Amino acid sequence: MFSVNESLAFTHLDTKPLQLQTLKPVASSEGVWCFTYGSNMMVVLWNPSIKRSVGIFVPSFLNQPDSPKMAIGFGIRPDTLDPTILKINYPYYGQGPWYVSVYTLSTRRWVNLENERLPRETIRIKWSGQAVVGGKFFGLVLKDLFTTMPPFYISQLRNSLVMSGSFLAEEYRILCAWVLEFDGGIVSSCTVLFTIPFPIEHVVKLIGFTKDEEPIVECKSNQHTTNSLQVYDKTSQQFQNIGIEANGGSFFIGPYKESLILLNQPNNTYVL
């Protein structure tokens, strides 16, 4: 894990005693980072600014054998600063039931949502990143069981929700991003944020933004076995490789924010 300054210089962060190689990032919110461990058997919350971490055991999917797939979301409630975890279980294939639970650290309890508050069973989930905007979770792209869908991704630019995707256009590809606004849970406006062409032999995925709102992308090239982290320079209209390479899908970016959340929790503890 690294911190990145305004000049895109990297500084290694001390993550001890966390073993990052065993964790998968979910999201960051209000300075707290959320990871999953193993096959979603545990959620780990970590505040790097105060070096405080808490592990939370996740109810086993064996309790819902007809819906074994699981998606995890995370955010901090803006009014109470209470770390909140969202857990969704759903089937691998075909029609089947949903099971949705919410966990708050203050209560240390999982609460199951009632069935009438869930989507119809023909809806399926495509996990594609998440954002917390206006105290609400976003990031579960839904589709009907019998339809296909382009690879859209969800990210966040300050307090706005951004949806992005790349599309083939004859001899090149285009990375497109839109800012979505909501009114009562319904998309009220969709504004084009940018359209960026790039070589057809590359695969580009938007994962974040710099302080100057320049896109940060994960780039896959046919000439390399690993993916690289690149920033789009608006002046030169070119992607700049900033020297970080890793396996595909392993990059994750979140805003750094100092906070005291988790300060009242015993460090390196595990709660049920």
Side-chain angles (χ1 to χ4, degrees):
M1 181 176 285
F2 300 87
S3 64
V4 188
N5 65 15
E6 298 177 4
S7 302
L8 299 180
F10 286 73
T11 302
H12 185 267
L13 289 181
D14 180 14
T15 59
K16 295 179 181 179
L18 295 183
Q19 296 180 343
L20 287 184
Q21 69 273 16
T22 66
L23 303 177
K24 180 180 179 180
V26 174
S28 67
S29 179
E30 298 295 329
V32 178
W33 288 64
C34 176
F35 305 87
T36 56
Y37 171 79
S39 300
N40 292 332
M41 64 176 294
M42 179 183 292
V43 170
V44 178
L45 305 182
W46 179 57
N47 186 336
S49 61
I50 59 174
K51 299 293 190 296
R52 190 65 57 96
S53 64
V54 175
I56 299 157
F57 288 99
V58 177
S60 173
F61 62 80
L62 296 178
N63 297 331
Q64 295 113 16
D66 49 354
S67 301
K69 292 204 70 175
M70 184 186 299
I72 298 290
F74 168 74
I76 302 292
R77 285 193 54 161
D79 52 350
T80 63
L81 297 182
D82 195 5
T84 303
I85 301 167
L86 178 71
K87 180 177 76 76
I88 301 177
N89 287 87
Y90 57 101
Y92 275 112
Y93 305 104
Q95 187 170 330
W98 288 47
Y99 299 94
V100 181
S101 304
V102 176
Y103 179 94
T104 54
L105 188 59
S106 62
T107 64
R108 284 175 159 73
R109 188 163 58 96
W110 291 92
V111 177
N112 296 327
L113 298 187
E114 299 175 354
N115 291 336
E116 58 266 20
R117 302 178 65 181
L118 307 181
R120 64 182 186 273
E121 292 186 359
T122 56
I123 293 292
R124 286 295 167 263
I125 297 175
K126 179 185 179 296
W127 181 251
S128 58
Q130 73 147 67
V132 178
V133 178
K136 297 181 176 62
F137 283 111
F138 294 92
L140 297 176
V141 178
L142 307 179
K143 63 179 181 179
D144 190 85
L145 178 61
F146 303 106
T147 60
T148 58
M149 182 176 182
F152 290 110
Y153 297 93
I154 296 296
S155 55
Q156 188 169 345
L157 176 59
R158 304 189 190 281
N159 293 320
S160 297
L161 181 70
V162 176
M163 183 176 68
S164 61
S166 60
F167 304 89
L168 182 63
E170 297 182 351
E171 298 181 354
Y172 57 93
R173 292 180 182 272
I174 299 178
L175 177 65
C176 303
W178 302 265
V179 175
L180 304 183
E181 301 293 338
F182 293 84
D183 183 10
I186 299 175
V187 177
S188 57
S189 68
C190 179
T191 306
V192 175
L193 182 62
F194 60 74
T195 56
I196 302 173
F198 60 93
I200 194 171
E201 66 270 14
H202 292 180
V203 177
V204 171
K205 174 179 136 181
L206 178 68
I207 59 174
F209 295 89
T210 68
K211 183 180 179 181
D212 296 326
E213 300 186 3
E214 294 180 322
I216 303 175
V217 302
E218 176 183 342
C219 181
K220 177 182 179 182
S221 171
N222 294 336
Q223 289 78 32
H224 299 87
T225 58
T226 57
N227 292 6
S228 61
L229 198 63
Q230 303 191 15
V231 174
Y232 183 75
D233 182 75
K234 297 178 181 177
T235 303
S236 65
Q237 297 185 347
Q238 297 290 328
F239 284 105
Q240 173 188 358
N241 192 324
I242 55 180
I244 297 295
E245 296 185 349
N247 295 331
S250 62
F251 290 101
F252 182 83
I253 292 178
Y256 179 80
K257 181 177 181 178
E258 293 187 354
S259 74
L260 297 178
I261 299 174
L262 303 184
L263 183 63
N264 61 345
Q265 303 293 327
N267 195 26
N268 299 325
T269 56
Y270 301 93
V271 296
L272 297 176

